[in-house]
Amino acid sequence: MARGVYIHIPFCHQICNYCDFNKVFFKNQPVDEYIEAIGTELKLIQQQEPKAFQQIETIYLGGGTPTSLSASQISRLLELINDIIPTNNLIEFASEANPDELSVDKLQALKAGGINRLSMGVQSFDTDLLKRLGRTHSNEQVYETIENAKAVGLNNINIDLMYGLPGQTMEQWEDSLEKALSLNLPHYSAYSLIVEPKTVFYIQYAKGKLHLPSEDLEAEMYDLLMNEMERNGHHQYEISNFARDGLISTHNKVYWDNDEYIGIGAGAHGYLKGIRYSNIGPIRKYLDSIQNGNRPIFSEHEVTFDEKCEEQMFLGLRKTEGVTFESFKRKLGISMMEKYQTILTKLASDELIIVDHIGVRLSRKGRFVGNEVFQQFLLGE
């Protein structure tokens, strides 16, 4: 049974240089038609799977940029969502947001439509780095937007930060962390830059024009991040996420728990009834499928038993609590040690994981090389 719903809004007023998500420039796009199609796709799933939305704990609006929509468009989108998805089990109703797009009327529309968590893409408090990233907001807009959000009753706020950026120094990272923590927010996410194909940064990197910090400097930045978050009372509950007690991201935890979720919108991904699927990406083709009364499925993959085991490990190990022996056995019907004893023994001897009577988790050393640890559980390793 699905625990979460992800709804993709692919429109942006500005395309960031590092972003590889399915997105288009807002101008001249069929935005209103797309919003109505979201409502239709929700109805199509409900018709095919009448119980699909009965246990939903979290709804997440991602993008693209959900707050690229006008206040009236936001209200209509949330109306369509609330018409289909029951709220009796809902813990979190979140939206991504850009600081320079969150006018007071949009914040009011989000709040009125049931949104109770905002995740703002701040990335850096350094003006030069923001320009390199293709971001258009200012620090003043971040501060003002947070104050306005709190004024309308939206207090559960996360901001995203990035490190390992082109030309970024330790001093710039220290300054961004200091400014971010001075906001005293309940949640922070911080990610190292990954240069993805089909992005502006990828083209620059291929031409030798993108100069990234060394691996050692990036590791120092991550070490500083963990230390400063802990010092300021934000518990690290996942490799890149930090929160005060009780204020973790429910939506992201659905992914890390390897539980099922429903993906809605152009290019969205979902995991339902043991099948991972992706929707059609091009907006016009997505709309055509919806208008023809069909779910806009582009691809489907039935997850094998071995893949389920792998996913349980490399997703679960992202959490600082790791994977318990009990949850692995309950979900997969097999002992974790029976399945992965050789791998676990080696990783433990390398001091990359900690194995105790409860389960397995990354050591602090292991957090610096998480991807290398996760790869050990993939087929063929």
Side-chain angles (χ1 to χ4, degrees):
M1 188 73 73
R3 287 177 57 201
V5 175
Y6 172 83
I7 298 175
H8 190 70
I9 308 299
F11 309 113
C12 293
H13 290 296
Q14 173 70 27
I15 304 297
C16 299
N17 294 335
Y18 55 86
C19 179
D20 71 331
F21 292 114
N22 188 42
K23 77 279 181 186
V24 294
F25 280 110
F26 188 94
K27 190 175 181 180
N28 298 323
Q29 292 296 330
V31 180
D32 292 322
E33 186 180 354
Y34 182 85
I35 291 170
E36 297 303 318
I38 292 292
T40 303
E41 187 181 356
L42 287 165
K43 290 177 183 177
L44 289 170
I45 291 176
Q46 187 181 52
Q47 290 167 5
Q48 290 183 9
E49 304 287 344
K51 298 181 179 180
F53 298 113
Q54 286 188 356
Q55 301 298 322
I56 297 302
E57 299 174 14
T58 168
I59 305 170
Y60 190 92
L61 307 182
T65 317
T67 53
S68 65
L69 305 180
S70 68
S72 60
Q73 288 169 336
I74 288 171
S75 294
R76 177 57 179 161
L77 173 64
L78 296 176
E79 178 185 15
L80 291 168
I81 294 168
N82 284 307
D83 281 347
I84 299 296
I85 303 176
T87 59
N88 52 303
N89 293 309
L90 202 62
I91 298 169
E92 180 181 283
F93 195 164
S95 178
E96 292 178 354
N98 275 352
D100 52 345
E101 293 176 344
L102 267 181
S103 56
V104 173
D105 60 340
K106 290 185 184 184
L107 286 165
Q108 291 170 337
L110 290 166
K111 175 67 174 176
I115 296 294
N116 60 16
R117 184 178 192 269
L118 289 177
S119 184
M120 290 174 50
V122 173
Q123 318 310 0
S124 176
F125 285 87
D126 185 274
T127 302
D128 290 338
L129 287 176
L130 287 173
K131 288 179 181 177
R132 286 183 211 175
L133 292 170
R135 305 293 291 174
T136 56
H137 69 264
S138 66
N139 290 350
E140 290 71 25
Q141 287 171 321
V142 173
Y143 304 141
E144 181 181 1
T145 299
I146 289 173
E147 288 306 308
N148 288 339
K150 290 178 179 179
V152 304
L154 288 168
N155 297 300
N156 191 1
I157 300 171
N158 167 72
I159 61 173
D160 287 344
L161 299 171
M162 297 180 72
Y163 60 96
L165 300 176
Q168 187 180 31
T169 65
M170 179 60 84
E171 289 72 25
Q172 287 172 315
W173 178 229
E174 288 174 347
D175 182 66
S176 280
L177 274 179
E178 181 180 346
K179 286 183 168 66
L181 288 165
S182 72
L183 295 169
N184 199 29
L185 298 175
H187 194 288
Y188 295 91
S189 301
Y191 305 95
S192 63
L193 174 69
I194 299 175
V195 179
E196 301 283 5
K198 300 180 182 179
T199 63
V200 172
F201 275 174
Y202 185 83
I203 295 169
Q204 293 175 352
Y205 185 77
K207 293 179 178 179
K209 296 181 178 180
L210 192 74
H211 305 293
L212 302 174
S214 66
E215 288 184 5
D216 287 344
L217 179 54
E218 187 174 318
E220 288 177 24
M221 290 177 174
Y222 185 49
D223 189 56
L224 178 69
L225 168 69
M226 290 190 288
N227 290 338
E228 287 302 295
M229 286 294 168
E230 190 65 34
R231 191 172 68 84
N232 282 271
H234 289 80
H235 171 64
Q236 183 176 18
Y237 69 97
E238 190 268 347
I239 285 179
S240 303
N241 285 269
F242 307 80
R244 294 203 188 105
D245 290 343
L247 291 167
I248 68 172
S249 168
T250 305
H251 181 79
N252 286 340
K253 195 168 184 298
V254 169
Y255 297 150
W256 304 322
D257 287 343
N258 198 24
D259 285 337
E260 296 193 343
Y261 60 95
I262 298 166
I264 303 289
H269 292 248
Y271 181 30
L272 192 60
K273 299 182 74 173
I275 295 174
R276 293 199 180 273
Y277 66 89
S278 64
N279 276 355
I280 296 167
I283 292 174
R284 189 69 259 169
K285 291 184 178 180
Y286 167 83
L287 294 173
D288 288 345
S289 179
I290 294 289
Q291 288 167 358
N292 290 328
N294 300 316
R295 282 187 62 192
I297 302 295
F298 175 71
S299 67
E300 292 182 307
H301 172 69
E302 186 171 355
V303 182
T304 67
F305 174 75
D306 281 335
E307 287 170 337
K308 288 178 181 177
C309 292
E310 295 165 8
E311 291 173 353
Q312 193 71 14
M313 294 305 296
F314 69 71
L315 291 171
L317 281 172
R318 290 191 63 91
K319 300 178 293 183
T320 53
E321 68 184 29
V323 184
T324 67
F325 296 127
E326 185 275 330
S327 66
F328 190 93
K329 181 70 178 287
R330 171 170 41 82
K331 206 162 203 177
L332 298 157
I334 187 173
S335 160
M336 187 196 303
M337 294 305 292
E338 181 182 344
K339 180 71 175 173
Y340 290 122
Q341 183 168 6
T342 301
I343 294 172
L344 294 174
T345 300
K346 181 180 185 303
L347 290 171
S349 68
D350 292 339
E351 299 182 338
L352 297 177
I353 62 170
I354 296 169
V355 182
D356 59 20
H357 66 286
I358 296 173
V360 179
R361 63 187 185 278
L362 288 180
S363 64
R364 185 179 174 93
K365 176 182 175 181
R367 293 178 202 174
F368 287 90
V369 290
N371 287 335
E372 294 177 25
V373 175
F374 306 151
Q375 287 172 5
Q376 303 304 308
F377 296 97
L378 298 177
L379 285 173
E381 294 293 338

